[in-house]
Amino acid sequence: MDLAARHAALYQGTLLVAEAAEDAYRLGGLDRFLKPWMRDRLDSLRYLLDSCDTQRQLAGDTRALASAAVEYSELRDQLFSDLHHTRPEPPWRTLRRKDIAIRAQSRVLHRQPTFVLRRLDAGANVPGAETWDFTVLTNPSDPADQGTSFIVMADSQNKNGSITVQVAKELESERPWYQQLEYGFFALGSTPFLTAIYDPDRHRQQPPDGLNGEFDL
């Protein structure tokens, strides 16, 4: 068996690991975020073989492919436990590339929402800002739960160690959700400045250019 065939077999093995985890740890409404992300991740690592020039590069690339599958399986195990097991409050969990953060709260004693913060494609961004989607799943165990989604604009230029985050008024009015948005950015390594919390008089000021369109702030 030549190298290409062996590498293809490795890729199929990583898919098996991912699919086994998906069957074992069913996550309902979260799967519409997690499954596509994982397939994209494996595909991006799969094609690294085409640019391998040395044995060390091959070792690193195959290790990255295998590790991605293992990390995904462990993440699903953790999220499943967050949802269904009684234990200390679970933290926000982030995917390796820091473009998705998830907080799945226990639903053993009472129904609690699950939160997903994810960076949208670069093409959706406006100059000087990053575009994010913040989704709240009120019934995350149900695969049909599409959740409530909010577009979030974050100033991509870090100022004084923080990024300014602006959202629609509907999200500002849901204070527990709004607070979780802050925690999500912290989990991804950013220090957010949420205007409705830290700058309640912002309506007296002119919104920054590029951040005032659809939000009616």
Side-chain angles (χ1 to χ4, degrees):
M1 184 181 296
D2 63 15
L3 177 59
R6 291 159 60 197
H7 195 272
L10 171 62
Y11 173 75
Q12 291 300 319
T14 62
L15 281 179
L16 175 60
V17 173
E19 291 167 355
E22 289 163 357
D23 290 339
Y25 311 114
R26 297 184 180 275
L27 296 176
L30 284 174
D31 275 339
R32 70 184 177 93
F33 303 101
L34 291 173
K35 287 184 176 181
W37 185 92
M38 186 55 187
R39 270 58 178 182
D40 288 345
R41 174 72 174 153
L42 292 180
D43 282 344
S44 68
L45 294 171
R46 175 187 188 183
Y47 295 111
L48 289 177
L49 178 64
D50 298 337
S51 59
C52 276
D53 296 319
T54 68
Q55 291 295 326
R56 288 188 177 182
Q57 287 180 347
L58 178 62
D61 292 345
T62 53
R63 182 170 61 247
L65 185 56
S67 297
V70 173
E71 290 167 0
Y72 178 68
S73 180
E74 291 173 344
L75 174 68
R76 293 191 68 95
D77 186 1
Q78 292 167 345
L79 289 171
F80 185 85
S81 186
D82 292 346
L83 284 168
H84 299 292
H85 297 172
T86 300
R87 64 180 189 180
E89 276 290 299
W92 277 82
R93 303 193 184 278
T94 61
L95 278 70
R96 185 181 183 93
R97 289 185 291 184
K98 298 293 185 180
D99 50 9
I100 298 182
I102 299 171
R103 184 161 192 236
Q105 301 179 101
S106 173
R107 295 173 60 80
V108 173
L109 299 178
H110 59 93
R111 293 184 180 275
Q112 299 186 92
T114 288
F115 303 95
V116 181
L117 176 61
R118 62 192 180 102
R119 191 196 312 269
L120 297 181
D121 292 340
N125 291 341
V126 299
E130 293 179 345
T131 308
W132 294 77
D133 174 86
F134 182 63
T135 299
V136 182
L137 301 170
T138 55
N139 189 18
S141 298
D142 182 1
D145 181 13
Q146 295 296 302
T148 303
S149 293
F150 304 91
I151 294 297
V152 175
M153 303 298 291
D155 187 348
S156 59
Q157 301 299 317
N158 191 296
K159 299 175 182 178
N160 300 320
S162 65
I163 58 173
T164 299
V165 176
Q166 298 193 52
V167 304
K169 290 181 179 178
E170 290 79 6
L171 178 54
E172 291 182 1
S173 66
E174 296 285 351
R175 303 306 269 191
W177 296 1
Y178 193 46
Q179 186 74 68
Q180 289 295 332
L181 173 66
E182 180 183 39
Y183 296 150
F185 275 109
F186 276 124
L188 291 167
S190 296
T191 301
F193 182 86
L194 274 65
T195 53
I197 293 178
Y198 300 110
D199 188 16
D201 292 328
R202 75 201 183 289
H203 61 281
R204 302 177 187 272
Q205 306 169 9
Q206 183 68 27
D209 291 341
L211 293 180
N212 58 343
E214 59 190 283
F215 295 102
D216 191 27
L217 295 175

